[in-house]
Amino acid sequence: MNAPSALPARALGSTGPQVSALGLGCMGMSALYGETDRAESIATIHAALDAGITLLDTGDFYGMGHNELLINEALRTAPSAAREQALTSVKFGALRTVEGAFTGYDGRPAAVKNFAAYSLQRLGTDHIDVYRIARIDPDVPIEETVGAIAELVEAGHVRHIGLSEVGADTIRRAASVAPVSDLQIEYSLISRSIEAEILPACRELGIGVTAYGVLSRGLISGHFSRDRELAPGDFRSMSPRFQEGNLERNLDLVDALRKIAEQKGVTVAQTAIAWVLAQGEDIVPLVGARRRDRLTEALGSLDVRLDAADLAAIEEAVPADAAAGARYPDSQMAHLDSER
């Protein structure tokens, strides 16, 4: 690796750090999308750092700690200049069984500090840059959970407080306790529910957005085919948007988007990511590339310029609420404060 390149930067809200305009979501390197390739995963993280990506997003429950250990290895084996620029965003709180099932979320203050201690050990660092509960614990007020993270900030173990998949009311309650840097939430051409209340609340309070699912788990990447067979354990086999009937309707939207992308001489994925980038300087898309070629493609979105006519054409091709199927199965949608 050479000295890391410089990418355009964006701030995570008014109180958060400056990060690269694209972040790398590392979940798929450990879980939920079938078999993984450790060597290629580490090479992809190295390539991201080399290209100037500074934000690495993970969760302590991704592969039951596997993802944090993977990031630890990637950072340990990266040049010091790249390692020093890297920021970690960590989600916690999910409770899992040995078999991998999700059984709830724990936001009690003692649990928050316990989760953090384990993450710090797995990551091999003395601090986490942004720390957030993945889904709110319905039995614990968000004020108590955020208050515990604030104590970790005061102790120097965490730098910034984040939120994940919460609604406008919860955002305001959390921000009344301590400064919140950003909200991590799904946002893409076919997942736009945040635009009504959540995004305005974030902007009112100076809270940034880290947008995951910008390619809707590959659905709107331009690479997903109607006859693709998913590997055992792949989350998409249970995702409503990938079910028979819904899949075909959603890929029709991709075909419409492809026509616009081809006219601009770019890929479907680059167009979809560029659309998210164009929604505001306070939004940082997380790209879930598991391979270097997909990472290179995603980085190309930073060079795509969408003018008013382009944006109007994209809106016509993929109208808001055009997607068929919910973004999670009902059992998981029930945990989303952002969807209530």
Side-chain angles (χ1 to χ4, degrees):
M1 290 173 61
N2 301 313
S5 304
L7 290 181
R10 294 187 170 187
L12 291 188
S14 59
T15 63
Q18 289 276 326
V19 300
S20 52
L22 290 181
L24 182 64
C26 300
M27 180 189 74
M29 297 176 179
S30 297
L32 297 181
Y33 294 120
E35 291 187 8
T36 60
D37 183 329
R38 189 178 190 87
E40 180 61 23
S41 296
I42 290 174
T44 301
I45 294 173
H46 284 171
L49 296 172
D50 189 42
I53 285 180
T54 62
L55 182 64
L56 303 178
D57 183 77
T58 185
D60 63 10
F61 50 93
Y62 293 166
M64 285 77 156
H66 177 280
N67 206 239
E68 291 178 319
L69 292 169
L70 184 77
I71 290 173
N72 180 336
E73 182 178 349
L75 291 176
R76 280 190 293 106
T77 54
S80 59
R83 184 168 60 248
E84 290 165 4
Q85 290 186 25
L87 303 178
T88 53
S89 167
V90 179
K91 291 178 290 298
F92 68 89
L95 303 177
R96 304 192 67 180
T97 67
V98 173
E99 294 75 23
F102 287 85
T103 59
Y105 297 88
D106 192 344
R108 294 171 301 149
V112 173
K113 294 174 183 179
N114 178 76
F115 287 130
Y118 279 78
S119 283
L120 288 168
Q121 180 68 26
R122 285 189 292 261
L123 288 166
T125 184
D126 62 358
H127 73 274
I128 295 165
D129 292 288
V130 188
Y131 202 47
R132 69 188 89 239
I133 190 165
R135 304 285 187 270
I136 63 169
D137 180 343
D139 298 322
V140 178
I142 191 64
E143 292 87 347
E144 293 184 18
T145 301
V146 168
I149 304 175
E151 291 178 7
L152 290 170
V153 172
E154 186 176 353
H157 303 311
V158 169
R159 295 281 169 83
H160 303 280
I161 300 169
L163 296 170
S164 175
E165 286 290 357
V166 295
D169 178 64
T170 303
I171 292 168
R172 291 191 172 91
R173 288 169 52 199
S176 72
V177 175
V180 174
S181 67
D182 70 305
L183 167 69
Q184 187 172 124
I185 195 164
E186 186 167 355
Y187 187 40
S188 74
L189 268 169
I190 63 171
S191 297
R192 297 177 59 178
S193 60
I194 75 168
E195 293 175 345
E197 296 181 2
I198 293 173
L199 188 53
C202 287
R203 287 173 169 164
E204 171 193 331
L205 297 168
I207 295 171
V209 170
T210 41
Y212 76 89
V214 293
L215 297 178
S216 197
R217 298 164 183 81
L219 181 58
I220 60 172
S221 67
H223 300 299
F224 203 94
S225 62
R226 286 170 167 78
D227 58 354
R228 179 171 172 177
E229 293 188 9
L230 296 171
D234 192 314
F235 164 80
R236 292 170 291 192
S237 64
M238 299 180 294
S239 172
R241 289 182 175 173
F242 289 83
Q243 301 308 304
E244 186 175 353
N246 289 345
L247 176 62
E248 289 74 16
R249 289 167 59 191
N250 291 328
L251 290 180
D252 285 343
L253 298 174
V254 177
D255 288 341
L257 185 62
R258 192 186 310 276
K259 294 177 183 177
I260 297 170
E262 289 175 348
Q263 289 172 358
K264 292 190 68 66
V266 298
T267 70
V268 173
Q270 289 168 343
T271 305
I273 298 169
W275 181 88
V276 178
L277 284 163
Q279 301 313 301
E281 289 289 323
D282 53 349
I283 299 173
V284 176
L286 299 172
V287 295
R290 301 196 298 164
R291 305 187 333 227
R292 283 167 286 181
D293 58 337
R294 294 288 193 249
L295 173 67
T296 298
E297 180 183 23
L299 287 166
S301 66
L302 293 168
D303 297 322
V304 178
R305 297 292 175 260
L306 300 177
D307 59 24
D310 294 326
L311 292 170
I314 291 170
E315 292 274 349
E316 183 176 356
V318 187
D321 300 323
R327 55 194 183 99
Y328 286 101
D330 289 345
S331 61
Q332 295 182 38
M333 289 292 287
H335 291 289
L336 296 180
D337 181 71
S338 56
E339 293 288 343
R340 292 174 188 166

